[in-house]
């Protein structure tokens, strides 16, 4: 075969592979981290989200952060000062009333995620069930998504990682962020942060299907006032806050 013929064959094969990615975005990433059968897409009838009750979130409590770090092996970086953080506690204050709140901040899993819009390779993508992820196989580490995220919810992996959780694929030179513990969700479990908050008795983090009107999270959102952080950006975050 000539060089041109070989090149055409390679391009054709690459195009076919790309078409497969466009048909089922993110399948490669979640095949390793999911009990879902390989190739089976996430259901579009579901939209996973969280409701965080700031009145139950105590200042100084970081059980959700510790649970996230442990579940996703985020403490395995050699240089702890540059360790990625998928969820962090922040303190906010209303300058008019003096009211203060302590609350967890993570990827908001937007319906219209700017991180996906700016990604040049398609590494940042949104599953049909609303979970926003990064495919580390496609991420080139450009960090455009980090600049686009108004929630400062993404981190860059600077170093070689050790002692990883085999269900949570990560890698040096990639951008990453909260996955809503997709490997747990696909097994029918709640994210680690929500589980830890429930076990400590506070119950500040409620996880569930926003598309199901009969789910506990949907019923709560209908009956209490909730806030989407930076709602003015019209990103429609999947994480809602109560008590702000």
């Amino acid at each position: 075969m000539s060089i041109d013929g070989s090149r055409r064959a390679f391009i054709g094969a690459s195009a076919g592979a790309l078409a497969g990615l466009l048909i089922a975005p993110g399948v490669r990433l979640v095949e390793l981290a999911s009990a879902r059968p390989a190739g089976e897409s996430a259901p579009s009838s579901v939209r996973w989200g969280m409701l965080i009750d700031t009145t139950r979130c105590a200042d100084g409590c970081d059980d959700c952060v510790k649970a996230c770090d442990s579940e996703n092996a985020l403490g395995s970086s050699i240089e702890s000062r540059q360790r990625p953080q998928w969820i962090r506690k922040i303190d906010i204050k209303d300058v008019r009333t003096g009211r203060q709140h302590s609350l967890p901040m993570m990827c908001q899993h937007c319906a219209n995620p700017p991180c996906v819009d700016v990604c040049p390779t398609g590494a940042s993508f949104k599953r049909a069930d609303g979970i926003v992820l990064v495919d580390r196989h496609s991420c080139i580490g450009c960090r455009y998504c980090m600049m686009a995220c108004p929630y400062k919810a993404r981190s860059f992996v600077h170093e070689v990682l050790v002692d990883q959780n085999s269900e949570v694929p990560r890698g040096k030179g990639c951008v990453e962020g909260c996955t809503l513990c997709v490997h747990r969700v696909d097994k029918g479990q709640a994210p680690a942060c929500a589980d830890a908050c429930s076990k400590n008795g506070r119950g500040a983090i409620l996880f569930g299907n926003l598309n199901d009107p009969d789910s506990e999270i949907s019923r709560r959102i209908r009956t209490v006032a909730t806030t989407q952080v930076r709602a003015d950006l019209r990103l429609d975050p999947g994480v809602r806050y109560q008590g702000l």
Side-chain angles (χ1 to χ4, degrees):
M1 180 182 292
S2 67
I3 294 177
D4 287 343
S6 298
R7 184 177 299 167
R8 283 195 295 270
F10 171 77
I11 292 173
S14 300
L18 179 60
L21 287 174
L22 292 174
I23 292 171
V27 167
R28 289 175 58 206
L29 176 68
V30 298
E31 278 174 357
L32 295 177
S34 168
R36 190 185 308 282
E40 181 180 322
S41 299
S44 59
S45 58
V46 173
R47 185 188 180 191
W48 297 117
M50 286 182 173
L51 175 60
I52 299 174
D53 186 347
T54 62
T55 65
R56 297 185 180 186
C57 189
D59 183 19
C61 176
D62 63 351
D63 286 357
C64 57
V65 177
K66 291 177 181 176
C68 178
D69 287 354
S70 176
E71 178 68 29
N72 298 292
L74 300 185
S76 61
S77 175
I78 297 173
E79 177 52 71
S80 60
R81 289 176 299 177
Q82 295 181 331
R83 178 176 59 81
Q85 192 173 38
W86 292 6
I87 180 173
R88 66 192 192 279
K89 286 294 293 293
I90 64 173
D91 297 316
I92 60 174
K93 181 178 180 178
D94 188 326
V95 295
R96 296 170 300 175
T97 65
R99 284 185 66 193
Q100 297 187 44
H101 298 275
S102 178
L103 54 90
M105 178 61 62
M106 71 289 279
C107 172
Q108 300 290 288
H109 297 279
C110 306
N112 307 302
C115 57
V116 173
D117 291 340
V118 302
C119 182
T121 67
S124 288
F125 67 95
K126 184 183 72 171
R127 296 205 325 179
D129 58 6
I131 299 178
V132 178
L133 298 170
V134 180
D135 187 338
R136 69 185 181 91
H137 303 290
S138 303
C139 179
I140 59 175
C142 68
R143 293 175 251 193
Y144 287 168
C145 61
M146 293 178 65
M147 292 183 280
C149 177
Y151 308 106
K152 298 182 179 179
R154 289 201 165 174
S155 303
F156 183 77
V157 182
H158 291 270
E159 299 165 339
V160 175
L161 303 175
V162 295
D163 300 326
Q164 294 193 60
N165 179 346
S166 61
E167 292 186 297
V168 185
R170 303 171 60 215
K172 179 181 177 180
C174 296
V175 175
E176 59 184 24
C178 164
T179 66
L180 274 185
C181 287
V182 65
H183 59 291
R184 293 171 58 97
V185 171
D186 284 346
K187 296 176 184 176
Q189 302 170 353
C193 60
D195 192 39
C197 193
S198 176
K199 287 180 179 178
N200 71 14
R202 297 191 183 279
I205 303 177
L206 177 62
F207 173 77
N209 180 8
L210 295 169
N211 281 351
D212 180 1
D214 296 323
S215 67
E216 183 178 357
I217 189 171
S218 293
R219 293 198 303 270
R220 284 268 297 274
I221 289 174
R222 286 198 302 269
T223 57
V224 300
T226 63
T227 301
Q228 295 177 323
V229 176
R230 291 304 309 270
D232 57 305
L233 297 178
R234 299 182 181 181
L235 304 178
D236 190 12
V239 180
R240 318 291 171 87
Y241 291 88
Q242 176 183 348
L244 291 183

